[in-house]
Amino acid sequence: MDPNALAITVSVTAAGVTVSVAAAVAKVVVTRNKIRLLREAIKDVPGAERPAVLHALSEIL
């Protein structure tokens, strides 16, 4: 294999991995923010009403 072609292949593969990792990290951040928002939203909801509120929120999210 041509050394230049190999270098390009490795570079493109590394860029793809970087993008995949960045996307995974962004998804984790979004998920953590959703969890934080859910906790804030239900902190004042009485215990008996929480399941209904969580169900309603899950429909939105």
Side-chain angles (χ1 to χ4, degrees), residues 1-59:
M1 178 177 247
D2 179 24
N4 290 331
L6 180 60
I8 291 170
T9 301
V10 169
S11 178
V12 169
T13 302
V17 169
T18 300
V19 169
S20 296
V21 169
V25 169
K27 188 172 183 175
V28 167
V29 169
V30 167
T31 301
R32 291 182 81 185
N33 283 337
K34 285 182 180 179
I35 292 169
R36 181 183 55 79
L37 291 172
L38 281 172
R39 285 183 178 155
E40 288 178 16
I42 66 168
K43 69 180 179 184
D44 296 326
V45 176
E49 295 176 14
R50 281 188 181 186
V53 170
L54 286 173
H55 180 72
L57 288 171
S58 71
E59 294 293 324

